[in-house]
Amino acid sequence: MLDAEGSGPVTHEVSLKRKLTLPLLILYGLGVTIGAGIYVLVGTTAARAGVYAPVSFLIAATVVAFTGFAYAELSTRHPVSAGEAAYVRAGFNSNSLTLIVGLLVAASGIVSSAAVSIGAAAYIGEIVPLSQTFLSIAIILIVGVIAAWGILESVFIAAVFTIVEIAGLGFVIYFGISSDPAIISKVGTLFPPLEGVVWGGIISASLLAFFAFVGFEDIANVAEEVVEPHRTLPRGIILTLVVATVLYFLVVSVVVLVVPMAELSSSAAPLALVFEKAGSTASGIFRLIAIIATTNGVLIQIIMASRVIYGLSKQKSLPSFLSIVNPVTRTPLTATAIIVALVLLFATLLPIDQLAEATSSIVLLVFSLVNLALIRLKMTAPQPTEGVFVVPLWVPVMGLLTSIALLISGLLPI
């Protein structure tokens, strides 16, 4: 077929397909949120906050909530891949800042995937006597193939994994309470006194706990594959945060009350410690669930990071070959391959706590810029069109202030 002037063939650009409904979108968000942190970082958070670790998770949830509502508005104003980059472009009209933000988001996905792959390897290593490095590499490569397969297929697999991992957290809560019902009477000990030394550890631990919430913002980066994005995206973001917060508080409360602190603070597979005395069957079932949960976190972060690179390329901030969509898989294969290679690199170079803290710092910086972009839009741009989810101005202001405060806390001595 020739173009309108008869000068050459018409080329049809292959685009992403809108297949993600609200249930799949929520499971997508919960998959990366829950799998990324709670199965891996309870121990390192408890090492800083002690028995008050649940409070650290509540502080992190508060920071995330303000920014979550800001994302809900921005994702309906600009329902595109590489969402954060598009938000910053709209708010600041700066190509260089747009590219920086987009690359920071992709970096957060890369570093997060590397961290969670180490956690997954730790759980698998308790069953299979192979080196953690080898297991991390194998996990990343297998997950990379799934991510390249197709968005519906990979998100469907992630959704199934997410249901399993939520059931696993319910298993932790149930088994922890049933094995020691007296912990219910100790709930009051989870709330700290007003002492500076105690709160210093809690605030420092909040930066690590924040890592456990990294994921809800990934919902914005699959916007071009969401059915009815103006209705589905805000609901997906808000429901993901609510469910994750409730689960986190319950799970962490049970774990810090059941597991000896010395064991918990040094473990890369912390939730498995709840089942130490449960016998081989219960312990084995939970380890299998934990492997699924952590592997799921790696999968979804790789999907997210590849879509950010795709989106930046489509917005002409990166080379055009990165936005090529394979006509068979309908996924950006080149972008996915690059992300997988970088995840492999980081997983073999840095320990899990450094990767988690780096992820949290990167995401908090992005959150600060996204909130500032929404503030500028609200103060300078016309009122959004009908169908846009709108929040009051004070919401992104609080999102900006809390993100900056938590980011600065990571620079303070413990």
Side-chain angles (χ1 to χ4, degrees), residues 29-30 33-34 38 53-66 69 169 173 209-210 212-214 216 237-253:
L30 286 174
T33 306
I34 293 174
I38 197 69
V55 177
S56 295
F57 278 83
L58 290 180
I59 292 171
T62 302
V63 173
V64 170
F66 290 118
F69 278 98
L169 295 182
I173 296 167
F210 177 84
F213 289 92
V214 170
F216 84 88
I237 290 170
I238 294 167
L239 288 173
T240 294
L241 289 178
V242 170
V243 174
T245 300
V246 172
L247 279 173
Y248 282 2
F249 182 78
L250 292 175
V251 168
V252 179
S253 297

Side-chain angles (χ1 to χ4, degrees), residues 159-330:
V160 173
F161 282 6
T162 299
I163 293 170
V164 172
E165 67 194 48
I166 291 173
L169 295 182
F171 192 26
V172 171
I173 296 167
Y174 170 78
F175 188 85
I177 294 175
S178 62
S179 64
D180 184 9
I183 66 171
I184 296 176
S185 64
K186 301 177 183 176
V187 170
T189 64
L190 300 176
F191 297 94
L194 297 176
E195 297 177 5
V197 175
V198 172
W199 279 94
I202 293 170
I203 297 299
S204 174
S206 296
L207 185 62
L208 282 174
F210 177 84
F211 176 83
F213 289 92
V214 170
F216 84 88
E217 76 282 1
D218 292 358
I219 292 174
N221 290 307
V222 293
E224 292 185 33
E225 294 155 288
V226 172
V227 177
E228 296 185 3
H230 288 83
R231 288 170 50 86
T232 306
L233 286 168
R235 296 177 182 180
I237 290 170
I238 294 167
L239 288 173
T240 294
L241 289 178
V242 170
V243 174
T245 300
V246 172
L247 279 173
Y248 282 2
F249 182 78
L250 292 175
V251 168
V252 179
S253 297
V254 167
V255 172
V256 298
L257 290 173
V258 169
V259 179
M261 193 57 61
E263 295 179 33
L264 180 62
S265 61
S266 61
S267 177
L271 299 192
L273 298 175
V274 175
F275 300 91
E276 284 293 300
K277 299 177 182 178
S280 58
T281 301
S283 181
I285 290 172
F286 178 76
R287 281 181 170 81
L288 179 60
I289 292 172
I291 291 167
I292 291 172
T294 48
T295 303
N296 191 32
V298 180
L299 170 61
I300 296 180
Q301 287 286 26
I302 287 176
I303 293 172
M304 180 277 290
S306 65
R307 295 318 189 268
V308 172
I309 296 299
Y310 158 86
L312 288 172
S313 173
K314 193 174 179 183
Q315 295 170 26
K316 303 189 186 305
S317 295
L318 288 177
S320 59
F321 72 90
L322 293 171
S323 60
I324 295 175
V325 175
N326 184 276
V328 176
T329 64
R330 300 294 287 271

Side-chain angles (χ1 to χ4, degrees), residues 339-388:
I339 295 301
V340 169
L342 290 171
V343 173
L344 284 168
L345 179 65
F346 280 95
T348 55
L349 287 180
L350 295 173
I352 188 170
D353 57 340
Q354 290 184 26
L355 289 167
E357 195 156 340
T359 303
S360 295
S361 297
I362 293 169
V363 173
L364 282 167
L365 180 57
V366 172
F367 280 6
S368 300
L369 291 169
V370 166
N371 279 297
L372 189 56
L374 181 55
I375 292 170
R376 285 176 58 88
L377 281 172
K378 283 182 169 296
M379 295 180 68
T380 61
Q383 285 293 322
T385 58
E386 185 179 352
V388 172

Side-chain angles (χ1 to χ4, degrees), residues 121 128-136:
V128 181
L130 295 173
S131 76
Q132 184 165 296
T133 300
F134 174 83
L135 290 172
S136 293

